[in-house]
Amino acid sequence: MGRKSNNWLLIAPMYIFTLLFVAGPLIYMLVLSFLQKADVWGVEFVFTLKNYLKIGKQVYLNTFWESIKLAFATTALTLLIGYPFGYFMAKLPEKRKTLFMLLIVIPFWTNALMRMYGWIILFRSNGLIEQGLMALGLIDDSLKMLYNYKAVLAGMVYALLPFMILSVYSSAEKMDWTLVEAAKDLGAKSWQAFVTITLKLTLPGILSGVILVFIPSMGLFFIADILGGGKIMLVGNLIQNQLMSTRDWPFAAALAVILMLFTTLFIWGYKKITHSDELEGLL
Amino acid sequence: MSQDVLILKGIEKSFGETRVLQGIDLHIAQGEFLTLLGSSGCGKTTTIRIVAGLETPDAGQVLLDGEDVTDKEPYQRNVNTVFQNYALFPHMNVEENIGYGLKLKKKSKQQIHEAVMEALKLVQLEGYEKRMPSELSGGQRQRVAIARSIINEPKVLLLDEPLGALDLQLRRQMQLELKRLQKKLGITFIYITHDQEEALNMSDRIAVMKDGRFVQIGTAHEIYDHPRTAYVARFVGNANIIHVDGQTLAVRSENIQLMSQKMDEMDRLPENVDHQKSFVGGLPGMIKEKSFVGGMLRIVIALEDGTEVIASRHGIDADWEPGQSCFVYWEPQAGVTVEEE
Ligand SMILES: Nc1ncnc2c1ncn2[C@@H]1O[C@H](COP(=O)(O)OP(=O)(O)O)[C@@H](O)[C@H]1O
Ligand SMILES: [Mg+2]
């Protein structure tokens, strides 16, 4: 008896924390999404489904569709770049690993917004890169690298790539490379050993990397804001607009609820398809 | 020459500054059980990795069935390895592990299944095909690793200290089983161990290795009774190395006799006396230590020149106590002349 109550005391703060900071805001958001916007400021406590019906409008559906496309493209690109990066990093000698780890982590010491503005200095028309290229005579006209879909995509990949790299790295790091030798010894060519052994054993890293990249890429709005020049509208931007400019908090809440439902659905389906137990904690 | 399934010619290998293999020459006959015996770090694993194609030698040639495979990839050589830590694929069950090689060879599902069942029977693991490696004991993993290799019917099977992680009883049992399996299949084995008893028990021939070279290659009998060098005598026979009359002799501890008095000079001549009683040596020394090790009495004697000699006996020898002086003798045929390194 005594032990049990002791345990309860130890666990209690965790429950309180979870209720206060996780469940609380979620319930608040859910309730908010069924209320009505007041004429000038705040909300009226009248139950309505209006907010959700509004999302069915073509403009908003388009926004969702754009966001999903961008999230998929971002995830695919980070995987394509991040997997080989993480894989080769795991094969480096110990000292080099530390160096690369540092190189990946250092950007995190700078605010993400600052880094995006850094991009503008580099890539804008007549920015550092274009000046350089023009000086070399490689281009005569502006490349118009910023303020379009590609720039936003590149920014997203840049911002989220470390998560993919570190995720792949952490599972490749645990790889027992004699297994690859064993496969070759049993008659596998290098690519066969890679597909049947390495890829399978680093799959947990890929799976969690995909989740770590996909979820934030649905919500990141400042990259689209800064590098898209306001021309690219994602769900994240839409929510931010509704909150800060239009001040339609119930609609913003409804958008957030739908976004969350979609993400949950994605993880659930993803788990079903990949039969992954590694993602247990995520859903 | 034609029945040599594997020939190594002047193999050399360095890792950075360390010369790990310094000229390995070896001929192995079809169906032979050859053991590489040597202490840890002498280059045994590197040697078989070169045979398997997992490592490229700096110099020398590997001939498999007369064909030069030195620069061939592992998948181009009909050689398989049982790795020291088994290296079973953790994401595949026993059946998939064992069938891996045949699947690569694009055999039909039916063929693979039948061959796997056959192999499981050979290693006495029927009924385990759906288990994952993590659900097996050390001995069972070992059997799976062996089955996974022999299913490919390799010309040579390389085994890297396959029993190293098993307890003594299981080791003994597996030694017998491996030997039986090797006879039955007629596959050539290159077997690595640092355990001399294991080597003596199992091998047709033993290659004793030291610092990247073979010191002596021969049958268990040759190596044990006629060690070529002091190292072989010490390592394989646990022999004492005694310097006497400008010669280096190897005398195994069970052949060391202790006397409290010096015997007559005449007794040193073997022709003079009855074979049973003829002893040579007569080196003065002092008892240093007396202890029981593994059911044997072990007496350590310090000779005058500082050499330590160990005499071992079955049973209790109450006559000798530390501090006593004594004379060390052995029968003439027990002292084998060996080369110093
Ligand atoms: N890949 C490697 N890189 C550097 N040194 C190695 C490598 N493989 C083995 N060695 C060194 O080569 C020597 C022989 O190793 P090994 O063949 O594994 O010996 P054994 O199997 O007889 O214990 C050891 O000193 C070991 O440290
Ligand atoms: Mg070894």
Side-chain angles (χ1 to χ4, degrees):
Chain A
M1 273 304 269
R3 280 193 58 163
K4 248 190 187 156
S5 52
N6 272 346
N7 281 346
W8 169 240
L9 272 178
L10 285 172
I11 301 168
M14 260 174 52
Y15 277 105
I16 294 172
F17 184 88
T18 314
L19 279 174
L20 224 58
F21 295 107
V22 181
L26 278 179
I27 294 168
Y28 174 61
M29 192 176 75
L30 201 65
V31 171
L32 201 58
S33 73
F34 289 107
L35 298 182
Q36 226 170 45
K37 178 184 185 289
D39 279 342
V40 186
W41 170 257
V43 293
E44 276 173 25
F45 283 82
V46 178
F47 176 85
T48 176
L49 289 173
K50 211 177 64 195
N51 300 313
Y52 285 97
L53 295 174
K54 200 166 147 191
I55 295 175
K57 281 191 189 168
Q58 195 59 42
V59 252
Y60 299 128
L61 285 183
N62 278 350
T63 308
F64 263 94
W65 180 232
E66 281 303 317
S67 297
I68 291 167
K69 273 199 306 195
L70 184 69
F72 270 103
T74 305
T75 310
L77 274 176
T78 50
L79 184 59
L80 223 59
I81 304 167
Y83 187 88
F85 199 118
Y87 171 90
F88 286 113
M89 208 170 112
K91 285 200 151 190
L92 288 174
E94 220 49 54
K95 269 196 178 158
R96 288 284 192 79
K97 275 183 198 170
T98 324
L99 177 72
F100 270 81
M101 193 62 101
L102 205 64
L103 288 177
I104 291 173
V105 174
I106 283 175
F108 283 98
W109 297 351
T110 320
N111 182 289
L113 269 170
M114 292 305 236
R115 283 186 279 145
M116 283 302 139
Y117 282 114
W119 270 53
I120 292 183
I121 296 172
L122 285 174
F123 288 101
R124 66 163 190 236
S125 296
N126 211 17
L128 282 179
I129 290 180
E130 286 195 359
Q131 279 178 9
L133 290 174
M134 280 180 191
L136 289 170
L138 290 171
I139 54 168
D140 325 307
D141 208 4
S142 170
L143 292 172
K144 298 205 166 52
M145 286 187 284
L146 284 186
Y147 311 127
N148 53 36
Y149 180 80
K150 276 187 217 142
V152 174
L153 181 59
M156 297 276 258
V157 170
Y158 164 76
L160 296 169
L161 188 59
F163 298 106
M164 183 63 81
I165 293 177
L166 292 179
S167 181
V168 168
Y169 169 77
S170 76
S171 67
E173 161 84 325
K174 279 184 239 134
M175 264 287 288
D176 174 3
W177 299 107
T178 49
L179 296 176
V180 176
E181 291 191 332
K184 290 184 182 173
D185 185 78
L186 290 166
K189 293 172 187 160
S190 292
W191 70 266
Q192 288 173 317
F194 177 79
V195 172
T196 56
I197 311 296
T198 315
L199 201 57
K200 286 274 164 62
L201 291 177
T202 52
L203 200 59
I206 297 177
L207 297 182
S208 59
V210 164
I211 295 282
L212 284 175
V213 170
F214 186 83
I215 295 176
S217 70
M218 285 293 292
L220 275 180
F221 59 86
F222 65 87
I223 293 177
D225 255 0
I226 296 170
L227 298 180
K231 278 183 273 176
I232 313 283
M233 179 68 100
L234 302 174
V235 182
N237 302 96
L238 188 57
I239 295 175
Q240 192 219 11
N241 268 344
Q242 296 303 318
L243 274 178
M244 311 307 283
S245 315
T246 324
R247 299 207 183 278
D248 190 345
W249 285 34
F251 183 51
L255 285 167
V257 167
I258 294 295
L259 179 60
M260 212 177 66
L261 276 182
F262 175 79
T263 314
T264 311
L265 204 71
F266 171 78
I267 301 177
W268 179 80
Y270 185 72
K271 253 187 74 173
K272 276 265 145 39
I273 295 167
T274 56
H275 302 287
S276 170
D277 299 328
E278 318 287 333
L279 304 171
E280 218 48 78
L282 287 166
L283 201 67
Chain B
M1 179 79 185
S2 62
Q3 71 263 40
D4 283 339
V5 65
L6 181 73
I7 298 172
L8 301 183
K9 275 190 199 166
I11 301 283
E12 289 176 28
K13 178 76 186 175
S14 298
F15 291 110
E17 294 293 293
T18 352
R19 295 191 64 195
V20 175
L21 299 180
Q22 329 197 21
I24 292 285
D25 289 285
L26 189 63
H27 288 241
I28 301 173
Q30 168 60 45
E32 192 174 15
F33 193 122
L34 180 112
T35 298
L36 299 186
L37 175 64
S39 53
S40 176
C42 71
K44 305 181 296 291
T45 299
T46 307
T47 307
I48 63 160
R49 283 173 63 82
I50 285 173
V51 174
L54 297 170
E55 212 84 68
T56 323
D58 300 334
Q61 274 185 313
V62 181
L63 302 178
L64 188 63
D65 252 356
E67 183 197 358
D68 187 345
V69 295
T70 318
D71 298 317
K72 293 266 169 76
E73 293 292 318
Y75 73 87
Q76 293 167 313
R77 312 177 179 206
N78 198 358
V79 168
N80 285 121
T81 308
V82 175
F83 288 83
Q84 195 159 9
N85 61 357
Y86 315 141
L88 298 183
F89 305 131
H91 57 301
M92 300 182 191
N93 66 23
V94 168
E95 181 169 5
E96 290 161 339
N97 260 285
I98 298 178
Y100 186 81
L102 294 183
K103 201 171 167 199
L104 288 169
K105 285 181 189 149
K106 303 267 183 306
K107 292 275 194 314
S108 75
K109 278 217 168 91
Q110 180 64 23
Q111 273 175 313
I112 296 176
H113 181 74
E114 276 166 19
V116 168
M117 290 304 147
E118 177 93 2
L120 278 172
K121 208 164 138 195
L122 272 175
V123 296
Q124 301 174 2
L125 268 187
E126 292 125 306
Y128 284 81
E129 54 270 20
K130 295 294 173 236
R131 294 265 193 112
M132 297 306 281
S134 58
E135 299 166 334
L136 300 176
S137 72
Q140 290 165 341
R141 282 179 210 180
Q142 177 59 73
R143 287 160 198 263
V144 174
I146 291 167
R148 185 176 70 172
S149 298
I150 58 177
I151 202 169
N152 297 308
E153 298 174 354
K155 287 200 181 107
V156 180
L157 185 64
L158 310 166
L159 301 99
D160 194 350
E161 309 211 18
L163 310 182
L166 307 182
D167 62 60
L168 193 63
Q169 205 178 347
L170 198 54
R171 272 179 94 115
R172 295 256 158 82
Q173 185 195 339
M174 284 299 288
Q175 282 175 12
L176 293 175
E177 277 185 38
L178 271 176
K179 189 74 193 160
R180 172 187 60 83
L181 201 64
Q182 193 255 346
K183 282 220 174 100
K184 184 166 174 181
L185 299 171
I187 297 178
T188 311
F189 273 34
I190 301 184
Y191 188 95
I192 289 187
T193 182
H194 61 257
D195 177 347
Q196 33 108 351
E197 205 177 303
E198 194 166 286
L200 294 169
N201 276 343
M202 302 175 77
S203 327
D204 295 327
R205 275 194 310 155
I206 300 171
V208 183
M209 216 172 162
K210 183 176 183 260
D211 300 334
R213 282 201 186 88
F214 290 145
V215 198
Q216 187 175 3
I217 305 176
T219 62
H221 172 72
E222 282 165 1
I223 300 265
Y224 191 70
D225 288 332
H226 307 285
R228 194 174 68 76
T229 73
Y231 177 81
V232 177
R234 229 185 266 127
F235 193 76
V236 183
N238 286 327
N240 296 294
I241 303 301
I242 301 173
H243 300 273
V244 60
D245 302 336
Q247 275 189 318
T248 305
L249 290 182
V251 186
R252 287 205 298 274
S253 17
E254 69 267 23
N255 292 328
I256 295 283
Q257 301 291 333
L258 297 179
M259 308 275 171
S260 51
Q261 292 165 351
K262 199 162 169 77
M263 292 195 291
D264 201 285
E265 277 300 311
M266 291 299 284
D267 293 336
R268 292 186 65 177
L269 302 172
E271 306 82 13
N272 282 5
V273 266
D274 140 23
H275 210 70
Q276 283 291 314
K277 286 184 182 168
S278 86
F279 289 107
V280 293
L283 306 172
M286 186 185 292
I287 310 287
K288 249 184 98 177
E289 218 183 289
K290 189 169 136 181
S291 59
F292 277 95
V293 179
M296 299 276 282
L297 178 68
R298 202 177 100 108
I299 304 171
V300 183
I301 306 112
L303 298 183
E304 281 184 336
D305 65 356
T307 318
E308 281 195 356
V309 170
I310 294 165
S312 58
R313 301 274 179 285
H314 287 286
I316 297 166
D317 191 338
D319 288 352
W320 298 104
E321 293 302 335
Q324 276 182 294
S325 48
C326 64
F327 293 89
V328 171
Y329 287 92
W330 57 92
E331 292 181 59
Q333 68 272 21
V336 182
T337 311
V338 293
E339 288 170 27
E340 277 297 340
E341 268 92 51

